[in-house]
Amino acid sequence: MAGAVLRKGAAAMLALLLAAFFGFVGWNKAFAPLAELARHGAWTVHLPEWLGRLVGWSELALAAALLAVPVRPSIARIAALALAANQIAAGLVHLARWETAALPQNAVLIVMLLALWGAARTQQGETA
């Protein structure tokens, strides 16, 4: 019982941290001028502008979906996997352009998102 409460709390904190990050970067990709995005190394500047903006909007929506982990872990699991795929795409774009300094961040985010996916999976099993 106490273990389940601690796991849920840890999952909620991880979800909040990831949601804050992806909300921030998603907002920037959706609204910031391209020159600003380029200055900060956003991978979406290498895409057509409409697609880069769409990535930003998707990050905003998925960030909000991560926050569902305490009440709807299945939604948070889907969001975590989608954001992990987003980070794989980001890593591939960075790698193709030899922007290797960004790769450790992509890797850490993928690990964190997969950890959240696993935690939400455990919660989903506990509530089923």
Side-chain angles (χ1 to χ4, degrees):
M1 174 84 156
V5 170
L6 286 175
R7 282 192 305 275
K8 285 184 179 188
M13 291 301 295
L14 182 56
L16 183 61
L17 178 66
L18 287 164
F21 175 80
F22 281 104
F24 174 76
V25 297
W27 180 269
N28 283 323
K29 288 175 189 145
F31 297 109
L34 292 180
E36 183 75 15
L37 293 174
R39 195 173 73 192
H40 292 289
W43 66 279
T44 53
V45 298
H46 306 298
L47 304 174
E49 183 176 0
W50 67 268
L51 185 56
R53 301 294 183 187
L54 185 61
V55 168
W57 280 101
S58 73
E59 287 176 347
L60 286 168
L62 292 166
L66 289 176
L67 298 176
V69 75
V71 292
R72 294 293 300 255
S74 60
I75 292 172
R77 287 182 68 209
I78 293 166
L81 283 181
L83 286 167
N86 166 295
Q87 287 305 293
I88 291 168
L92 291 172
V93 169
H94 286 306
L95 190 59
R97 304 199 47 90
W98 295 99
E99 298 168 348
T100 56
L103 297 177
Q105 175 181 302
N106 298 129
V108 168
L109 287 167
I110 290 168
V111 169
M112 292 173 71
L113 289 160
L114 293 178
L116 181 59
W117 176 84
R121 181 174 169 227
T122 301
Q123 283 186 32
Q124 192 173 350
E126 290 173 354
T127 59

PDB file of all heavy atoms in Angstrom, residues 75-109:
ATOM      1  N   ILE A  75      -3.392   7.265 -20.738  1.00  0.00           N
ATOM      2  CA  ILE A  75      -3.171   8.474 -21.541  1.00  0.00           C
ATOM      3  C   ILE A  75      -1.727   8.943 -21.391  1.00  0.00           C
ATOM      4  O   ILE A  75      -1.061   9.295 -22.368  1.00  0.00           O
ATOM      5  CB  ILE A  75      -4.164   9.585 -21.144  1.00  0.00           C
ATOM      6  CG1 ILE A  75      -5.582   9.183 -21.560  1.00  0.00           C
ATOM      7  CG2 ILE A  75      -3.779  10.926 -21.759  1.00  0.00           C
ATOM      8  CD1 ILE A  75      -6.659  10.100 -21.060  1.00  0.00           C
ATOM      9  N   ALA A  76      -1.231   8.934 -20.160  1.00  0.00           N
ATOM     10  CA  ALA A  76       0.148   9.348 -19.915  1.00  0.00           C
ATOM     11  C   ALA A  76       1.131   8.403 -20.597  1.00  0.00           C
ATOM     12  O   ALA A  76       2.171   8.840 -21.098  1.00  0.00           O
ATOM     13  CB  ALA A  76       0.416   9.414 -18.413  1.00  0.00           C
ATOM     14  N   ARG A  77       0.827   7.112 -20.638  1.00  0.00           N
ATOM     15  CA  ARG A  77       1.708   6.142 -21.310  1.00  0.00           C
ATOM     16  C   ARG A  77       1.825   6.457 -22.795  1.00  0.00           C
ATOM     17  O   ARG A  77       2.914   6.436 -23.366  1.00  0.00           O
ATOM     18  CB  ARG A  77       1.174   4.725 -21.137  1.00  0.00           C
ATOM     19  CG  ARG A  77       1.366   4.184 -19.741  1.00  0.00           C
ATOM     20  CD  ARG A  77       0.869   2.770 -19.623  1.00  0.00           C
ATOM     21  NE  ARG A  77       1.729   1.907 -20.417  1.00  0.00           N
ATOM     22  CZ  ARG A  77       1.329   0.778 -20.980  1.00  0.00           C
ATOM     23  NH1 ARG A  77       0.080   0.374 -20.869  1.00  0.00           N
ATOM     24  NH2 ARG A  77       2.178   0.043 -21.663  1.00  0.00           N
ATOM     25  N   ILE A  78       0.698   6.740 -23.434  1.00  0.00           N
ATOM     26  CA  ILE A  78       0.712   7.079 -24.862  1.00  0.00           C
ATOM     27  C   ILE A  78       1.517   8.347 -25.090  1.00  0.00           C
ATOM     28  O   ILE A  78       2.338   8.427 -26.013  1.00  0.00           O
ATOM     29  CB  ILE A  78      -0.731   7.213 -25.397  1.00  0.00           C
ATOM     30  CG1 ILE A  78      -1.429   5.852 -25.373  1.00  0.00           C
ATOM     31  CG2 ILE A  78      -0.742   7.817 -26.793  1.00  0.00           C
ATOM     32  CD1 ILE A  78      -2.937   5.924 -25.567  1.00  0.00           C
ATOM     33  N   ALA A  79       1.304   9.344 -24.238  1.00  0.00           N
ATOM     34  CA  ALA A  79       2.028  10.616 -24.369  1.00  0.00           C
ATOM     35  C   ALA A  79       3.528  10.405 -24.180  1.00  0.00           C
ATOM     36  O   ALA A  79       4.345  10.971 -24.922  1.00  0.00           O
ATOM     37  CB  ALA A  79       1.499  11.634 -23.364  1.00  0.00           C
ATOM     38  N   ALA A  80       3.907   9.584 -23.194  1.00  0.00           N
ATOM     39  CA  ALA A  80       5.327   9.329 -22.949  1.00  0.00           C
ATOM     40  C   ALA A  80       5.979   8.651 -24.154  1.00  0.00           C
ATOM     41  O   ALA A  80       7.086   9.023 -24.558  1.00  0.00           O
ATOM     42  CB  ALA A  80       5.508   8.482 -21.690  1.00  0.00           C
ATOM     43  N   LEU A  81       5.292   7.682 -24.747  1.00  0.00           N
ATOM     44  CA  LEU A  81       5.849   7.008 -25.928  1.00  0.00           C
ATOM     45  C   LEU A  81       5.935   7.956 -27.122  1.00  0.00           C
ATOM     46  O   LEU A  81       6.918   7.932 -27.871  1.00  0.00           O
ATOM     47  CB  LEU A  81       5.020   5.779 -26.286  1.00  0.00           C
ATOM     48  CG  LEU A  81       5.238   4.552 -25.413  1.00  0.00           C
ATOM     49  CD1 LEU A  81       4.365   3.400 -25.897  1.00  0.00           C
ATOM     50  CD2 LEU A  81       6.692   4.140 -25.385  1.00  0.00           C
ATOM     51  N   ALA A  82       4.920   8.785 -27.294  1.00  0.00           N
ATOM     52  CA  ALA A  82       4.937   9.742 -28.402  1.00  0.00           C
ATOM     53  C   ALA A  82       6.084  10.742 -28.233  1.00  0.00           C
ATOM     54  O   ALA A  82       6.769  11.085 -29.203  1.00  0.00           O
ATOM     55  CB  ALA A  82       3.598  10.464 -28.502  1.00  0.00           C
ATOM     56  N   LEU A  83       6.308  11.190 -27.007  1.00  0.00           N
ATOM     57  CA  LEU A  83       7.403  12.129 -26.768  1.00  0.00           C
ATOM     58  C   LEU A  83       8.767  11.441 -26.884  1.00  0.00           C
ATOM     59  O   LEU A  83       9.743  12.064 -27.309  1.00  0.00           O
ATOM     60  CB  LEU A  83       7.241  12.814 -25.410  1.00  0.00           C
ATOM     61  CG  LEU A  83       6.140  13.880 -25.387  1.00  0.00           C
ATOM     62  CD1 LEU A  83       5.802  14.291 -23.962  1.00  0.00           C
ATOM     63  CD2 LEU A  83       6.536  15.084 -26.219  1.00  0.00           C
ATOM     64  N   ALA A  84       8.841  10.163 -26.542  1.00  0.00           N
ATOM     65  CA  ALA A  84      10.084   9.423 -26.759  1.00  0.00           C
ATOM     66  C   ALA A  84      10.370   9.331 -28.260  1.00  0.00           C
ATOM     67  O   ALA A  84      11.518   9.521 -28.693  1.00  0.00           O
ATOM     68  CB  ALA A  84      10.000   8.036 -26.131  1.00  0.00           C
ATOM     69  N   ALA A  85       9.335   9.077 -29.060  1.00  0.00           N
ATOM     70  CA  ALA A  85       9.507   9.057 -30.518  1.00  0.00           C
ATOM     71  C   ALA A  85       9.942  10.441 -31.020  1.00  0.00           C
ATOM     72  O   ALA A  85      10.795  10.546 -31.908  1.00  0.00           O
ATOM     73  CB  ALA A  85       8.208   8.619 -31.194  1.00  0.00           C
ATOM     74  N   ASN A  86       9.377  11.484 -30.442  1.00  0.00           N
ATOM     75  CA  ASN A  86       9.767  12.856 -30.767  1.00  0.00           C
ATOM     76  C   ASN A  86      11.258  13.053 -30.507  1.00  0.00           C
ATOM     77  O   ASN A  86      11.970  13.645 -31.325  1.00  0.00           O
ATOM     78  CB  ASN A  86       8.904  13.809 -29.913  1.00  0.00           C
ATOM     79  CG  ASN A  86       9.390  15.237 -29.875  1.00  0.00           C
ATOM     80  OD1 ASN A  86      10.467  15.522 -29.370  1.00  0.00           O
ATOM     81  ND2 ASN A  86       8.566  16.141 -30.358  1.00  0.00           N
ATOM     82  N   GLN A  87      11.741  12.542 -29.384  1.00  0.00           N
ATOM     83  CA  GLN A  87      13.146  12.715 -29.039  1.00  0.00           C
ATOM     84  C   GLN A  87      14.057  11.863 -29.916  1.00  0.00           C
ATOM     85  O   GLN A  87      15.186  12.248 -30.201  1.00  0.00           O
ATOM     86  CB  GLN A  87      13.378  12.406 -27.553  1.00  0.00           C
ATOM     87  CG  GLN A  87      12.831  13.485 -26.646  1.00  0.00           C
ATOM     88  CD  GLN A  87      13.400  14.841 -26.999  1.00  0.00           C
ATOM     89  OE1 GLN A  87      14.589  15.093 -26.826  1.00  0.00           O
ATOM     90  NE2 GLN A  87      12.563  15.730 -27.523  1.00  0.00           N
ATOM     91  N   ILE A  88      13.579  10.721 -30.362  1.00  0.00           N
ATOM     92  CA  ILE A  88      14.347   9.916 -31.312  1.00  0.00           C
ATOM     93  C   ILE A  88      14.473  10.682 -32.624  1.00  0.00           C
ATOM     94  O   ILE A  88      15.563  10.770 -33.204  1.00  0.00           O
ATOM     95  CB  ILE A  88      13.700   8.531 -31.507  1.00  0.00           C
ATOM     96  CG1 ILE A  88      13.856   7.707 -30.225  1.00  0.00           C
ATOM     97  CG2 ILE A  88      14.308   7.810 -32.710  1.00  0.00           C
ATOM     98  CD1 ILE A  88      13.029   6.441 -30.185  1.00  0.00           C
ATOM     99  N   ALA A  89      13.370  11.273 -33.080  1.00  0.00           N
ATOM    100  CA  ALA A  89      13.411  12.085 -34.305  1.00  0.00           C
ATOM    101  C   ALA A  89      14.363  13.266 -34.127  1.00  0.00           C
ATOM    102  O   ALA A  89      15.170  13.566 -35.016  1.00  0.00           O
ATOM    103  CB  ALA A  89      12.007  12.573 -34.668  1.00  0.00           C
ATOM    104  N   ALA A  90      14.279  13.925 -32.979  1.00  0.00           N
ATOM    105  CA  ALA A  90      15.174  15.059 -32.713  1.00  0.00           C
ATOM    106  C   ALA A  90      16.624  14.605 -32.756  1.00  0.00           C
ATOM    107  O   ALA A  90      17.479  15.263 -33.361  1.00  0.00           O
ATOM    108  CB  ALA A  90      14.851  15.676 -31.355  1.00  0.00           C
ATOM    109  N   GLY A  91      16.910  13.479 -32.120  1.00  0.00           N
ATOM    110  CA  GLY A  91      18.268  12.957 -32.108  1.00  0.00           C
ATOM    111  C   GLY A  91      18.766  12.630 -33.504  1.00  0.00           C
ATOM    112  O   GLY A  91      19.921  12.917 -33.843  1.00  0.00           O
ATOM    113  N   LEU A  92      17.896  12.051 -34.328  1.00  0.00           N
ATOM    114  CA  LEU A  92      18.287  11.718 -35.694  1.00  0.00           C
ATOM    115  C   LEU A  92      18.575  12.974 -36.515  1.00  0.00           C
ATOM    116  O   LEU A  92      19.528  13.011 -37.300  1.00  0.00           O
ATOM    117  CB  LEU A  92      17.218  10.862 -36.362  1.00  0.00           C
ATOM    118  CG  LEU A  92      17.081   9.438 -35.803  1.00  0.00           C
ATOM    119  CD1 LEU A  92      15.868   8.744 -36.403  1.00  0.00           C
ATOM    120  CD2 LEU A  92      18.355   8.639 -36.040  1.00  0.00           C
ATOM    121  N   VAL A  93      17.759  14.004 -36.330  1.00  0.00           N
ATOM    122  CA  VAL A  93      18.000  15.269 -37.042  1.00  0.00           C
ATOM    123  C   VAL A  93      19.319  15.881 -36.569  1.00  0.00           C
ATOM    124  O   VAL A  93      20.139  16.318 -37.384  1.00  0.00           O
ATOM    125  CB  VAL A  93      16.818  16.251 -36.856  1.00  0.00           C
ATOM    126  CG1 VAL A  93      17.180  17.645 -37.353  1.00  0.00           C
ATOM    127  CG2 VAL A  93      15.578  15.724 -37.561  1.00  0.00           C
ATOM    128  N   HIS A  94      19.528  15.905 -35.257  1.00  0.00           N
ATOM    129  CA  HIS A  94      20.785  16.457 -34.733  1.00  0.00           C
ATOM    130  C   HIS A  94      21.976  15.653 -35.251  1.00  0.00           C
ATOM    131  O   HIS A  94      22.992  16.227 -35.649  1.00  0.00           O
ATOM    132  CB  HIS A  94      20.785  16.447 -33.204  1.00  0.00           C
ATOM    133  CG  HIS A  94      19.920  17.491 -32.585  1.00  0.00           C
ATOM    134  ND1 HIS A  94      20.017  18.832 -32.888  1.00  0.00           N
ATOM    135  CD2 HIS A  94      18.938  17.397 -31.649  1.00  0.00           C
ATOM    136  CE1 HIS A  94      19.140  19.519 -32.174  1.00  0.00           C
ATOM    137  NE2 HIS A  94      18.468  18.666 -31.419  1.00  0.00           N
ATOM    138  N   LEU A  95      21.857  14.345 -35.250  1.00  0.00           N
ATOM    139  CA  LEU A  95      22.954  13.492 -35.715  1.00  0.00           C
ATOM    140  C   LEU A  95      23.245  13.721 -37.199  1.00  0.00           C
ATOM    141  O   LEU A  95      24.417  13.825 -37.600  1.00  0.00           O
ATOM    142  CB  LEU A  95      22.601  12.027 -35.460  1.00  0.00           C
ATOM    143  CG  LEU A  95      23.712  11.007 -35.655  1.00  0.00           C
ATOM    144  CD1 LEU A  95      24.892  11.304 -34.740  1.00  0.00           C
ATOM    145  CD2 LEU A  95      23.175   9.610 -35.401  1.00  0.00           C
ATOM    146  N   ALA A  96      22.204  13.826 -38.000  1.00  0.00           N
ATOM    147  CA  ALA A  96      22.377  14.063 -39.437  1.00  0.00           C
ATOM    148  C   ALA A  96      23.080  15.386 -39.717  1.00  0.00           C
ATOM    149  O   ALA A  96      23.755  15.535 -40.730  1.00  0.00           O
ATOM    150  CB  ALA A  96      21.022  14.025 -40.147  1.00  0.00           C
ATOM    151  N   ARG A  97      22.929  16.347 -38.810  1.00  0.00           N
ATOM    152  CA  ARG A  97      23.543  17.668 -39.002  1.00  0.00           C
ATOM    153  C   ARG A  97      24.813  17.823 -38.154  1.00  0.00           C
ATOM    154  O   ARG A  97      25.312  18.915 -37.998  1.00  0.00           O
ATOM    155  CB  ARG A  97      22.525  18.752 -38.678  1.00  0.00           C
ATOM    156  CG  ARG A  97      21.245  18.560 -39.537  1.00  0.00           C
ATOM    157  CD  ARG A  97      20.394  19.741 -39.654  1.00  0.00           C
ATOM    158  NE  ARG A  97      21.061  20.960 -39.973  1.00  0.00           N
ATOM    159  CZ  ARG A  97      21.303  21.428 -41.206  1.00  0.00           C
ATOM    160  NH1 ARG A  97      20.947  20.725 -42.246  1.00  0.00           N
ATOM    161  NH2 ARG A  97      21.884  22.590 -41.383  1.00  0.00           N
ATOM    162  N   TRP A  98      25.292  16.719 -37.581  1.00  0.00           N
ATOM    163  CA  TRP A  98      26.490  16.707 -36.750  1.00  0.00           C
ATOM    164  C   TRP A  98      26.390  17.641 -35.546  1.00  0.00           C
ATOM    165  O   TRP A  98      27.382  18.215 -35.103  1.00  0.00           O
ATOM    166  CB  TRP A  98      27.747  17.002 -37.576  1.00  0.00           C
ATOM    167  CG  TRP A  98      28.005  15.925 -38.573  1.00  0.00           C
ATOM    168  CD1 TRP A  98      27.682  15.958 -39.892  1.00  0.00           C
ATOM    169  CD2 TRP A  98      28.568  14.638 -38.334  1.00  0.00           C
ATOM    170  NE1 TRP A  98      28.011  14.777 -40.499  1.00  0.00           N
ATOM    171  CE2 TRP A  98      28.576  13.941 -39.558  1.00  0.00           C
ATOM    172  CE3 TRP A  98      29.078  13.994 -37.200  1.00  0.00           C
ATOM    173  CZ2 TRP A  98      29.062  12.650 -39.669  1.00  0.00           C
ATOM    174  CZ3 TRP A  98      29.575  12.715 -37.328  1.00  0.00           C
ATOM    175  CH2 TRP A  98      29.568  12.060 -38.552  1.00  0.00           C
ATOM    176  N   GLU A  99      25.181  17.811 -35.018  1.00  0.00           N
ATOM    177  CA  GLU A  99      24.957  18.616 -33.812  1.00  0.00           C
ATOM    178  C   GLU A  99      24.981  17.676 -32.602  1.00  0.00           C
ATOM    179  O   GLU A  99      23.985  17.491 -31.911  1.00  0.00           O
ATOM    180  CB  GLU A  99      23.617  19.346 -33.917  1.00  0.00           C
ATOM    181  CG  GLU A  99      23.544  20.309 -35.079  1.00  0.00           C
ATOM    182  CD  GLU A  99      22.135  20.831 -35.365  1.00  0.00           C
ATOM    183  OE1 GLU A  99      21.154  20.291 -34.810  1.00  0.00           O
ATOM    184  OE2 GLU A  99      22.029  21.757 -36.172  1.00  0.00           O
ATOM    185  N   THR A 100      26.136  17.093 -32.365  1.00  0.00           N
ATOM    186  CA  THR A 100      26.242  16.038 -31.356  1.00  0.00           C
ATOM    187  C   THR A 100      26.086  16.531 -29.917  1.00  0.00           C
ATOM    188  O   THR A 100      25.787  15.738 -29.036  1.00  0.00           O
ATOM    189  CB  THR A 100      27.571  15.286 -31.505  1.00  0.00           C
ATOM    190  OG1 THR A 100      28.647  16.233 -31.418  1.00  0.00           O
ATOM    191  CG2 THR A 100      27.636  14.563 -32.849  1.00  0.00           C
ATOM    192  N   ALA A 101      26.251  17.816 -29.692  1.00  0.00           N
ATOM    193  CA  ALA A 101      26.105  18.341 -28.332  1.00  0.00           C
ATOM    194  C   ALA A 101      24.679  18.159 -27.809  1.00  0.00           C
ATOM    195  O   ALA A 101      24.474  18.091 -26.590  1.00  0.00           O
ATOM    196  CB  ALA A 101      26.496  19.814 -28.290  1.00  0.00           C
ATOM    197  N   ALA A 102      23.709  18.063 -28.690  1.00  0.00           N
ATOM    198  CA  ALA A 102      22.309  17.916 -28.274  1.00  0.00           C
ATOM    199  C   ALA A 102      21.951  16.474 -27.941  1.00  0.00           C
ATOM    200  O   ALA A 102      20.938  16.228 -27.279  1.00  0.00           O
ATOM    201  CB  ALA A 102      21.386  18.431 -29.374  1.00  0.00           C
ATOM    202  N   LEU A 103      22.740  15.513 -28.362  1.00  0.00           N
ATOM    203  CA  LEU A 103      22.372  14.101 -28.212  1.00  0.00           C
ATOM    204  C   LEU A 103      22.258  13.621 -26.763  1.00  0.00           C
ATOM    205  O   LEU A 103      21.338  12.856 -26.457  1.00  0.00           O
ATOM    206  CB  LEU A 103      23.334  13.221 -29.008  1.00  0.00           C
ATOM    207  CG  LEU A 103      23.312  13.460 -30.525  1.00  0.00           C
ATOM    208  CD1 LEU A 103      24.348  12.590 -31.212  1.00  0.00           C
ATOM    209  CD2 LEU A 103      21.925  13.226 -31.096  1.00  0.00           C
ATOM    210  N   PRO A 104      23.127  14.044 -25.845  1.00  0.00           N
ATOM    211  CA  PRO A 104      22.940  13.598 -24.456  1.00  0.00           C
ATOM    212  C   PRO A 104      21.590  14.029 -23.871  1.00  0.00           C
ATOM    213  O   PRO A 104      20.951  13.256 -23.147  1.00  0.00           O
ATOM    214  CB  PRO A 104      24.111  14.246 -23.700  1.00  0.00           C
ATOM    215  CG  PRO A 104      25.160  14.427 -24.752  1.00  0.00           C
ATOM    216  CD  PRO A 104      24.396  14.747 -26.015  1.00  0.00           C
ATOM    217  N   GLN A 105      21.131  15.235 -24.199  1.00  0.00           N
ATOM    218  CA  GLN A 105      19.821  15.693 -23.712  1.00  0.00           C
ATOM    219  C   GLN A 105      18.725  14.795 -24.273  1.00  0.00           C
ATOM    220  O   GLN A 105      17.825  14.396 -23.533  1.00  0.00           O
ATOM    221  CB  GLN A 105      19.569  17.140 -24.115  1.00  0.00           C
ATOM    222  CG  GLN A 105      18.172  17.617 -23.725  1.00  0.00           C
ATOM    223  CD  GLN A 105      17.920  19.041 -24.148  1.00  0.00           C
ATOM    224  OE1 GLN A 105      18.648  19.935 -23.752  1.00  0.00           O
ATOM    225  NE2 GLN A 105      16.891  19.261 -24.940  1.00  0.00           N
ATOM    226  N   ASN A 106      18.803  14.472 -25.558  1.00  0.00           N
ATOM    227  CA  ASN A 106      17.803  13.589 -26.156  1.00  0.00           C
ATOM    228  C   ASN A 106      17.797  12.239 -25.447  1.00  0.00           C
ATOM    229  O   ASN A 106      16.727  11.692 -25.145  1.00  0.00           O
ATOM    230  CB  ASN A 106      18.052  13.395 -27.654  1.00  0.00           C
ATOM    231  CG  ASN A 106      17.969  14.678 -28.443  1.00  0.00           C
ATOM    232  OD1 ASN A 106      18.878  14.983 -29.204  1.00  0.00           O
ATOM    233  ND2 ASN A 106      16.908  15.443 -28.283  1.00  0.00           N
ATOM    234  N   ALA A 107      18.976  11.706 -25.175  1.00  0.00           N
ATOM    235  CA  ALA A 107      19.074  10.398 -24.521  1.00  0.00           C
ATOM    236  C   ALA A 107      18.491  10.424 -23.114  1.00  0.00           C
ATOM    237  O   ALA A 107      17.737   9.514 -22.729  1.00  0.00           O
ATOM    238  CB  ALA A 107      20.536   9.943 -24.492  1.00  0.00           C
ATOM    239  N   VAL A 108      18.816  11.456 -22.346  1.00  0.00           N
ATOM    240  CA  VAL A 108      18.284  11.564 -20.977  1.00  0.00           C
ATOM    241  C   VAL A 108      16.760  11.679 -21.006  1.00  0.00           C
ATOM    242  O   VAL A 108      16.060  11.036 -20.204  1.00  0.00           O
ATOM    243  CB  VAL A 108      18.929  12.756 -20.233  1.00  0.00           C
ATOM    244  CG1 VAL A 108      18.191  13.072 -18.947  1.00  0.00           C
ATOM    245  CG2 VAL A 108      20.397  12.471 -19.955  1.00  0.00           C
ATOM    246  N   LEU A 109      16.236  12.473 -21.915  1.00  0.00           N
ATOM    247  CA  LEU A 109      14.782  12.615 -22.012  1.00  0.00           C
ATOM    248  C   LEU A 109      14.115  11.296 -22.396  1.00  0.00           C
ATOM    249  O   LEU A 109      13.060  10.946 -21.849  1.00  0.00           O
ATOM    250  CB  LEU A 109      14.417  13.723 -23.005  1.00  0.00           C
ATOM    251  CG  LEU A 109      14.686  15.132 -22.504  1.00  0.00           C
ATOM    252  CD1 LEU A 109      14.605  16.133 -23.643  1.00  0.00           C
ATOM    253  CD2 LEU A 109      13.724  15.508 -21.387  1.00  0.00           C
TER     254      LEU A 109
END
